[in-house]
Amino acid sequence: MSAAGAAQAQTAPAPLEAHVWPLSATVSDDGVLSLAGIDVTTLAEDFGTPAYILDEGHFRARARLFVESFTQAFAPLGTSVDVYYAGKSFLSVAVAKWAREEGLRVDTCTGGELAVALRAGVPGAEIGLHGNNKSDSEIARAIEARVGRIVVDSFAEIERVAAAARAAGRTATDPVPVMVRVTTGIHAGGHEFISTAHEDQKFGISLAGGQALAALTAVLGHPELELLGAHTHIGSQIQDAEAFEVNARTMLGLREDLHAATGYLMPELDLGGGYGIAYTPDETPIDVPSLARDLAGVIADVCTELGTTVPRISIEPGRAIVGSTTVTVYTVGVVKPVTIDDGSVRLYVSVDGGMSDNIRPALYDARYTARLANRTGSAQTVRARVVGKHCESGDIVISDIALPADIAPGDLLAVPATGAYGRSMASNYNHVLRPPVVAVDAGQARVIVRRETEDDLLALDLG
Ligand SMILES: *Cc1c(COP(=O)(O)O)cnc(C)c1O
């Protein structure tokens, strides 16, 4: 083997850890990452950086996986499952259309999200509206759009939604469908879950002290409202099916309590979202088909124990549908070695975005991985910290990662699993322009949310 051949062999690109990258991601022999058959070097040239690159086929595949897994698991129970895509994770007109085409409904939690879903042509009946502090106009608009459900979040809101329903001329023959958000005391995130009797957070109505039962009963007292069921959402990035099972059991118990107290059997239960994905290679995404089977098994068992029929079920995955579909592509700028307290060196690698396009590390200590995306770097690695360009020392994308030692200004760095709560939580901090979302599919790239311009920023500034 020639010397050049030996050098090449030594620096063969590291394989992709498939579970954190979009389905269509590949790496060429010379280390260039490509998505849906398009090199990120081309994407960076055509669309600039930073940019969110979204694998449309992956989004559709995840949507179908949820629909098919839950439909298959629950069909033997004689019931069906509606999958609501949690729009807060990332919503645009294109994405809402894809969701609908793949058989999902859309869950919104503000007037803005509702407007995007409606603009996409999602019928009101296939939209849900949440929110712990809905405005009167949000409620009125949801009623006018005839959304499939308004999830009421407090006692006061039951009266407000009822009043708005009456104001819209809705009566017992044409009632407004509502659910009641219940807090079951089960909280989960990551691998652990906890169960508490009393809730110390803003959402929903607690089971404790019969409050949830009282709220459901209060809805039944309003002929202009139709009680579809109870709703619960126990947390996010949950890896453990057991928390969902315990929660389902609790909700079925509540349904039976209401039945015993009032004779009304709620037709539906919404079990919320929160299904976990892998952000880093050491994490394991929740297995959707086995989760669906486990949940169906628990629900079947509990309904048999209680001697009741199986309700219609709805779920609200956001992250688990869009999270892994997207890669943020940054350009590397300043690369600075810093000697830290223990005498070792940390390489600060600055990228052209940061906390304005991904607030999750700062907000939740969220962890991500990254790879050099435009070439094969040196086999030798350095201990690095990927940071943004904002005027905050906490503007960190990845706190600790091994990167090729020869990483240099002008390189492209790709961060996977940024599809959920990335663009949707993006800000204009430091008057940074929010990046575009570029959908890629079968060799084609299309901007679905364009990059902000300085004119966009200044359009709001009235001088
Ligand atoms: C945030 C949220 C979801 C989606 O959560 P994911 O972790 O993205 O699946 C679903 N339902 C409700 C009510 C939520 O608040």
Side-chain angles (χ1 to χ4, degrees), residues 86 88-89 107 130 181 203 231-233 235-237 272-275 316-320 420-421:
K88 73 180 198 203
S89 59
D107 175 44
H130 278 286
R181 179 152 177 179
F203 291 110
H231 170 286
T232 177
H233 172 73
S236 268
Q237 185 55 9
Y275 312 105
E316 300 170 338
R319 181 193 322 269
Y421 310 106

Side-chain angles (χ1 to χ4, degrees), residues 248-262:
R249 184 176 285 277
T250 305
M251 294 295 280
L252 287 165
L254 174 65
R255 176 169 176 260
E256 203 43 40
D257 290 346
L258 182 73
H259 189 206
T262 66

Side-chain angles (χ1 to χ4, degrees), residues 61-386:
R62 294 295 293 178
R64 282 196 299 272
L65 179 68
F66 268 95
V67 172
E68 283 164 13
S69 303
F70 276 83
T71 301
Q72 268 175 28
F74 282 79
L77 280 59
T79 193
S80 57
V81 179
D82 293 320
V83 182
Y84 283 76
Y85 171 57
K88 73 180 198 203
S89 59
F90 173 63
L91 196 62
S92 75
V93 168
V95 158
K97 285 182 178 164
W98 302 342
R100 174 143 201 263
E101 285 164 11
E102 300 303 339
L104 306 188
R105 299 174 177 222
V106 179
D107 175 44
T108 64
C109 62
T110 61
E113 289 180 5
L114 178 59
V116 175
L118 292 171
R119 175 72 64 86
V122 180
E126 296 175 17
I127 300 175
L129 179 72
H130 278 286
N132 69 300
N133 188 25
K134 302 174 193 76
S135 68
D136 289 339
S137 74
E138 285 170 329
I139 292 170
R141 192 163 180 197
I143 290 174
E144 192 199 324
R146 292 190 168 261
V147 299
R149 63 185 53 175
I150 296 177
V151 182
V152 294
D153 205 278
S154 62
F155 280 95
E157 201 180 74
I158 295 171
E159 302 311 318
R160 288 173 62 217
V161 173
R166 290 191 300 273
R170 306 287 285 271
T171 62
T173 53
D174 182 25
V176 170
V178 301
M179 295 188 115
V180 173
R181 179 152 177 179
V182 173
T183 47
T184 54
I186 296 156
H187 298 269
H191 297 271
E192 306 268 307
F193 78 91
I194 54 165
S195 189
T196 53
H198 294 279
E199 297 281 347
D200 192 5
Q201 48 95 359
K202 70 176 184 174
F203 291 110
I205 299 174
S206 177
L207 276 181
Q211 291 179 77
L213 198 58
L216 294 166
T217 308
V219 172
L220 291 176
H222 285 287
E224 63 278 19
L225 302 181
E226 175 194 3
L227 181 62
L228 273 187
H231 170 286
T232 177
H233 172 73
I234 58 172
S236 268
Q237 185 55 9
I238 302 169
Q239 311 283 18
D240 174 4
E242 199 190 343
F244 293 110
E245 293 170 20
V246 173
N247 190 57
R249 184 176 285 277
T250 305
M251 294 295 280
L252 287 165
L254 174 65
R255 176 169 176 260
E256 203 43 40
D257 290 346
L258 182 73
H259 189 206
T262 66
Y264 185 77
L265 189 62
M266 293 188 286
E268 186 165 339
L269 290 180
D270 188 319
L271 302 178
Y275 312 105
I277 63 166
Y279 283 94
T280 56
D282 56 310
E283 290 178 321
T284 311
I286 212 161
D287 182 69
V288 177
S290 74
L291 170 79
R293 282 192 298 272
D294 290 352
L295 263 180
V298 166
I299 289 172
D301 289 351
V302 176
C303 287
T304 306
E305 278 165 36
L306 296 174
T308 189
T309 56
V310 178
R312 189 182 183 91
I313 298 291
S314 43
I315 56 169
E316 300 170 338
R319 181 193 322 269
I321 289 180
V322 74
S324 314
T325 65
T326 301
V327 171
T328 307
V329 178
Y330 297 106
T331 300
V332 172
V334 170
V335 173
K336 188 198 296 184
V338 173
T339 304
I340 60 178
D341 276 351
D342 63 6
S344 67
V345 172
R346 195 198 301 281
L347 192 67
Y348 275 77
V349 176
S350 295
V351 294
D352 52 353
M355 65 193 296
S356 56
D357 59 73
N358 189 353
I359 191 66
R360 294 188 65 256
L363 201 55
Y364 311 124
D365 281 327
R367 291 166 61 237
Y368 286 86
T369 188
R371 79 178 277 140
L372 180 62
N374 56 308
R375 63 186 176 91
T376 306
S378 59
Q380 194 198 346
T381 60
V382 284
R383 178 180 179 200
R385 176 167 289 173
V386 180

